Amino acid sequence: MMRTVFMMESSGRLYFDGGLADQPCWAVEAFEIYQSERARLAGEKNG
């Protein structure tokens, strides 16, 4: 799952065809969790 999220981020493309609303719930949730954790870690590095 995380590899899929990494690929989505690095390529700038979604996993399935269509827009964000066309993605399955699990993909959107995984990407949101990844982004929030990344932001939290960046905040810890800066603070």
Side-chain angles (χ1 to χ4, degrees):
M1 168 113 23
M2 290 312 300
R3 182 146 177 90
T4 301
V5 172
F6 293 148
M7 290 185 339
M8 287 169 52
E9 181 191 36
S10 65
S11 69
R13 298 182 62 171
L14 298 172
Y15 191 67
F16 294 95
D17 289 337
L20 190 60
D22 296 315
Q23 304 304 302
C25 185
W26 64 263
V28 174
E29 288 178 351
F31 198 67
E32 288 175 343
I33 291 167
Y34 169 75
Q35 287 180 323
S36 67
E37 284 299 305
R38 187 170 177 204
R40 184 183 63 82
L41 291 172
E44 287 180 4
K45 286 182 182 179
N46 294 332

